Structures are given as C-alpha cells and as structure tokens.
Amino acid sequence: GQQLNQSPQSMFIQEGEDVSMNCTSSSIFNTWLWYKQDPGEGPVLLIALYKAGELTSNGRLTAQFGITRKDSFLNISASIPSDVGIYFCAGLEAGGTSYGKLTFGQGTILTVHP
Amino acid sequence: NAGVTQTPKFQVLKTGQSMTLQCAQDMNHEYMSWYRQDPGMGLRLIHYSVGAGITDQGEVPNGYNVSRSTTEDFPLRLLSAAPSQTSVYFCASSYSRLAGQYFGPGTRLTVT
C-alpha cells in the first residue's frame, strides 16, 4: 500500500532556530496535511494543502505541496519551547478504491532547548 | 465551537465486556472517522462515515461496530473487548473525504 517516509525521525534544536521536516511518498497524493500532537492529546491540524505547488503559511509555520505531488515539507521559523511535540505529515488519496484514504507519516519528534 | 469531543477520556474494561466510545462534532461535517493509535503502528482507520446513515469499514474494523444516525454523532462500539484492543482511540471529522480532518482529544482504553 501507500507509504509515507517522514524525516527526520527526531530533532533537537535550540530556541530561536528554524526547523525543516519533509515527507515523500511512492505515489501521488491529492491533499497533504500537517499535524502536531502533544503528549496525551489528539493530533491538531496545522496546515492543509490542496494543490500541487501550493505554499501556505500559518504564523511561523510554512508548508508546501510538492510539484510532483509525491512530497511535502514543513518549516517552522524561530522555534519556541511550545513547538515541542510530534509532527505528522499525512496524505489523502483520491483514486479508485483508495478514495479518501488518509495515510500518516511516522512522525518527527521535535525537542526545543531554551 | 467545541470542535470534536470524545467521551470518556479514560476507560478500563475486562475482557469480554462491551462499551461505546462517544464522538460528537459541532462543525456540521459530513465525514467522520475512527482511528486507533498504537506505538510503532501509527494511526489506523477503523471505520468511517460519509454522512448520516452511511458507514464503511477501514483498515482494522474487526471487533468494532459503528452507526451514524445524525450528522453530529458517530459512536464506536466494542462488542466483546479483548486485550488487543488496548489503545488510544481518536475520532475525526472533516467537511469532505478529501479535506483536512480535525481530531478529538482521544479515549485511552485498557482491556485487562
């Protein structure tokens, strides 16, 4: 089935640094989503991307839907301690029997040192 | 808006017991779904619904039932709990199947 490779698996950064993480897939997606999950909480939708090439920002977060529709990246600028958490990419398929299937990446664990 | 709400937050069951996990959303979303999250397995789809009266199976449906009598509510029923169903369960909703899904806070279930 569809596989999403998310990297890096974990990051340890200093407060104020910029962060970049990405996801790649073996096939195309019609929608790319980025979520953040804090311990004991549900995933929170950060950014949704619906068109190839789309670049969208949400405060200090910026995400792009790759032109090939097989990849996406998320950047966080000027990190702060509350950015700590697990970030997931997810892709939505629109073809055939996989219509509406949401596939998640393995997650990137972000640690921010004050 | 409360978004997606789930109850209970924690639950302990004995093997063989049944229970219903509640999920409600106040965003008038047509699409609702249930996932379970296990270490090393990520989020896996159990059941989903594209509207009131319409449900379908996801990736891991065995041992679970759902119904969708209203747009707002999508309960998940465990028929006869087994230790393998120990997990964190998340409900999610979106305005369509191809839109970003909003997740509830989760129900942490332990089956002994």
Side-chain angles (χ1 to χ4, degrees):
Chain A
Q2 184 67 279
Q3 296 288 328
L4 274 186
N5 295 310
Q6 185 173 349
S7 64
Q9 289 187 344
S10 62
M11 302 183 73
F12 298 84
I13 62 170
Q14 291 293 130
E15 183 177 359
E17 289 183 355
D18 296 343
V19 172
S20 184
M21 58 191 79
N22 68 84
C23 275
T24 59
S25 71
S26 55
S27 302
I28 63 173
F29 284 118
N30 288 74
T31 300
W32 280 97
L33 307 168
W34 285 93
Y35 289 90
K36 178 176 183 276
Q37 187 173 22
D38 293 328
E41 302 293 331
V44 174
L45 181 63
L46 299 174
I47 293 179
L49 303 158
Y50 297 106
K51 289 172 57 176
E54 180 180 356
L55 183 71
T56 296
S57 294
N58 178 7
R60 294 179 295 104
L61 278 61
T62 301
Q64 185 159 30
F65 191 144
I67 291 291
T68 65
R69 298 166 69 189
K70 293 184 180 181
D71 62 313
S72 177
F73 72 75
L74 174 71
N75 287 341
I76 305 173
S77 63
S79 58
I80 59 179
S82 63
D83 290 334
V84 166
I86 304 176
Y87 292 79
F88 292 97
C89 63
L92 273 166
E93 300 176 57
T97 57
S98 296
Y99 184 83
K101 180 182 177 184
L102 186 62
T103 302
F104 284 86
Q106 305 96 320
T108 295
I109 302 171
L110 179 63
T111 303
V112 180
H113 295 289
Chain B
N1 283 355
V4 180
T5 58
Q6 291 183 239
T7 56
K9 194 160 179 67
F10 300 95
Q11 183 70 51
V12 178
L13 290 178
K14 294 187 186 303
T15 297
Q17 287 185 317
S18 62
M19 78 159 295
T20 299
L21 279 62
Q22 301 292 341
C23 173
Q25 52 90 11
D26 61 0
M27 298 174 281
N28 202 31
H29 285 169
E30 289 295 323
Y31 185 80
M32 295 185 74
S33 54
W34 276 101
Y35 295 85
R36 58 178 291 173
Q37 187 175 37
D38 303 291
M41 302 292 288
L43 282 148
R44 293 182 291 170
L45 181 64
I46 304 172
H47 285 285
Y48 65 94
S49 168
V50 298
I54 307 169
T55 64
D56 208 343
Q57 297 181 348
E59 185 182 353
V60 288
N62 293 340
Y64 308 94
N65 270 359
V66 292
S67 60
R68 185 97 179 268
S69 56
T70 66
T71 299
E72 296 78 19
D73 301 297
F74 191 43
L76 177 73
R77 280 182 288 278
L78 278 70
L79 309 172
S80 177
S84 61
Q85 293 179 305
T86 293
S87 186
V88 182
Y89 292 85
F90 291 103
C91 179
S93 75
S94 60
Y95 68 81
S96 79
R97 287 184 75 171
L98 294 183
Q101 294 181 26
Y102 294 85
F103 284 78
T107 293
R108 283 137 192 86
L109 176 68
T110 301
V111 183
T112 61

